Amino acid sequence: MMTVSNFIMPREFTHIHKMMLIVGIIMLNIAHGCAKERFKGWEKRETEIVQQFFNDQQDKGDEMLKEWLLSDAGVVDYPFDILQERFFFHKVVSPDKKLCVFTWNKMIHRTDYYGNVIYYWTPAGFKTLDYCLWQAGGTDEKEVLDRGCFTQSIYQLEDNDGRTIYLARNFLNAYSSYTYTSLDAFVIENNTLCTVKDMFVKSDGETDCQLGCAHYLTDWRNKIGNVDTYYQYFIYGEQPHEILCPISDEYENLIDKYEHYIYDGRQFVFKGNVEGKELHPSLSGFESLEQLYDVGKYYVRVDRMKDGTYRYASWKREKMPNGMLDMGLEPNIVVTGGYIDGEEEYYVFPNGSYEYRANTNPSDVYELLLVKNGRITCFWNKIVD
């Protein structure tokens, strides 16, 4: 707890400054004490719920947690440090604190089933819903009703009529690495949380309350444009308000292309497709991103081009800030005209008397070979994290 004695005041502080600081510290201490009193016993309650989950009593833990979340609006302010640290629990609150979504993974039979509780504020006080935002939006899909969704973040903006619009980023691992990710628009009107049905004007002119993308998740996709986790594929910028919505191919693999939407004060309107996110201009013109490798010394990107050939680009790790891949930097090497070998084990990129080879299916290990006259002269590999 902060005290006046452990805060060193600069000499230029006036007497009034000192008094204001002292009053501020006193108010903080009072608030801290009130919070402790308000949440008295809740840490023990948290620990008991965590213990149920660790004892493989998921149903009991899930029941206790949901009952707690639905019983007291104070949970909107409570930090839930223990659950967040020791269990897959997430709380996200809108900037104006009028919409709050709790998500936890019930891990039924080692499969992602999400528990959800929603709080939203009305003039009559907080209201609660004991299901996910997708269900709040009116979906009747059985899988969503059964499995819920993970709400990762909530943005908010004002429209020309003064309404507050909430954009929620949601996702669901349908099975294994297959994922559905969406950005959903909500408004609180007439004491009800409801979707904004015409929020997004899509490429075909149709309107919807949701932008979505179904895709498979593989390891390289965790690193597209320095994205750390797959629920960040939707890229939302607040100034100006714009969205990059990921595009997947006919096999529902992400291709590092995006639909671009810009907000006009009422709706997000489709403005065209964008290649890559902050990608160096020399790498434009590709059909799809095929693989992204980390072989320790180098980062390697393989693209399929519009003529069916493949392109190789690599960056030296030592040239990267903090060693993290930044595809906005110019590659050290770019080789075009690549192909897949007869056994379909490697992408092959001829480069004079040399050729680069990268394995086509790096499920366990990333491999990069430098070959001359059929003999391997250099070899780099790294186990897939």
Side-chain angles (χ1 to χ4, degrees), residues 66 71 73 98 125 172 247 251 265 291 323 344-345 351 354 366:
K66 180 167 283 193
S71 66
K98 291 185 178 180
L172 168 66
I247 298 173
Y251 304 107
Q291 298 288 351
E344 297 194 350
E345 293 183 356
N351 188 26
Y354 290 88
Y366 299 115

Side-chain angles (χ1 to χ4, degrees), residues 7-26:
F7 187 93
I8 300 175
M9 299 182 185
R11 291 183 179 180
E12 61 269 22
F13 263 40
T14 66
H15 178 70
I16 294 177
H17 288 140
K18 293 178 182 178
M19 290 302 298
M20 291 175 64
L21 178 62
I22 291 171
V23 170
I25 292 172
I26 291 172

Side-chain angles (χ1 to χ4, degrees), residues 324-356:
M324 298 296 294
L325 174 60
D326 181 355
M327 289 187 284
L329 298 177
E330 184 175 2
N332 297 107
I333 298 174
V334 176
V335 181
T336 58
Y339 59 92
I340 297 178
D341 68 10
E343 296 180 354
E344 297 194 350
E345 293 183 356
Y346 291 96
Y347 299 102
V348 181
F349 304 93
N351 188 26
S353 59
Y354 290 88
E355 62 185 29
Y356 294 95

Side-chain angles (χ1 to χ4, degrees), residues 21 37 56 83 94 110 125 183 238 322 340 354:
L21 178 62
E37 184 62 29
D56 291 329
L83 272 166
S94 63
R110 299 185 181 276
L183 200 65
E238 296 183 298
N322 302 317
I340 297 178
Y354 290 88

Side-chain angles (χ1 to χ4, degrees), residues 41-285:
W42 282 21
E43 186 173 310
K44 179 181 178 183
R45 192 172 187 177
E46 237 188 312
T47 303
E48 290 174 350
I49 292 172
V50 170
Q51 195 61 50
Q52 294 295 329
F53 287 123
F54 278 136
N55 291 339
D56 291 329
Q57 300 294 322
Q58 280 86 357
D59 289 343
K60 180 64 175 177
D62 179 67
E63 179 184 334
M64 291 170 61
L65 180 55
K66 180 167 283 193
E67 179 183 357
W68 182 15
L69 296 176
L70 291 170
S71 66
D72 193 328
V75 295
V76 174
D77 298 317
Y78 184 66
F80 291 97
D81 291 333
I82 301 173
L83 272 166
Q84 292 190 70
E85 179 183 351
R86 303 184 184 179
F87 193 70
F88 194 69
F89 178 90
H90 185 69
K91 179 183 77 170
V92 59
V93 185
S94 63
D96 65 1
K97 298 186 178 181
K98 291 185 178 180
L99 177 61
C100 175
V101 181
F102 299 92
T103 305
W104 63 98
N105 195 334
K106 297 189 285 187
M107 288 297 293
I108 299 175
H109 305 303
R110 299 185 181 276
T111 303
D112 294 332
Y113 283 81
Y114 296 109
N116 297 104
V117 167
I118 302 168
Y119 271 80
Y120 64 97
W121 185 89
T122 73
F126 273 111
K127 289 191 173 183
T128 59
L129 301 171
D130 64 348
Y131 43 77
C132 71
L133 276 175
W134 281 342
Q135 190 170 347
T139 184
D140 57 0
E141 293 185 17
K142 186 178 185 306
E143 186 167 39
V144 172
L145 300 181
D146 290 343
R147 302 182 65 168
C149 68
F150 187 100
T151 299
Q152 188 268 337
S153 54
I154 300 174
Y155 312 107
Q156 95 181 40
L157 65 158
E158 304 294 320
D159 69 7
N160 290 339
D161 296 325
R163 294 190 308 172
T164 299
I165 308 296
Y166 301 97
L167 299 177
R169 191 200 307 264
N170 302 298
F171 73 86
L172 168 66
N173 282 348
Y175 56 87
S176 184
S177 62
Y178 186 73
T179 302
Y180 184 77
T181 310
S182 73
L183 200 65
D184 302 81
F186 292 88
V187 66
I188 301 172
E189 289 183 333
N190 300 320
N191 295 326
T192 303
L193 179 68
C194 52
T195 57
V196 184
K197 297 187 182 300
D198 61 348
M199 191 68 205
F200 305 106
V201 182
K202 299 188 175 181
S203 58
D204 58 4
E206 296 293 321
T207 60
D208 204 338
C209 63
Q210 179 186 88
L211 292 178
C213 177
H215 59 88
Y216 284 94
L217 174 70
T218 56
D219 294 281
W220 64 260
R221 295 187 177 94
N222 287 345
K223 299 175 183 176
I224 291 180
N226 291 336
V227 170
D228 294 323
T229 48
Y230 52 88
Y231 47 71
Q232 293 179 331
Y233 287 146
F234 275 93
I235 301 156
Y236 174 69
E238 296 183 298
Q239 297 296 332
H241 296 294
E242 59 182 341
I243 296 167
L244 293 180
C245 174
I247 298 173
S248 56
D249 61 17
E250 65 271 25
Y251 304 107
E252 297 188 323
N253 291 315
L254 293 175
I255 61 175
D256 197 20
K257 290 185 178 180
Y258 305 84
E259 294 180 340
H260 185 206
Y261 292 83
I262 295 181
Y263 188 59
D264 65 3
R266 182 176 177 273
Q267 298 169 303
F268 281 93
V269 181
F270 176 76
K271 295 297 182 180
N273 293 337
V274 175
E275 286 188 344
K277 173 183 173 285
E278 300 177 358
L279 190 64
H280 192 270
S282 66
L283 297 179
S284 63

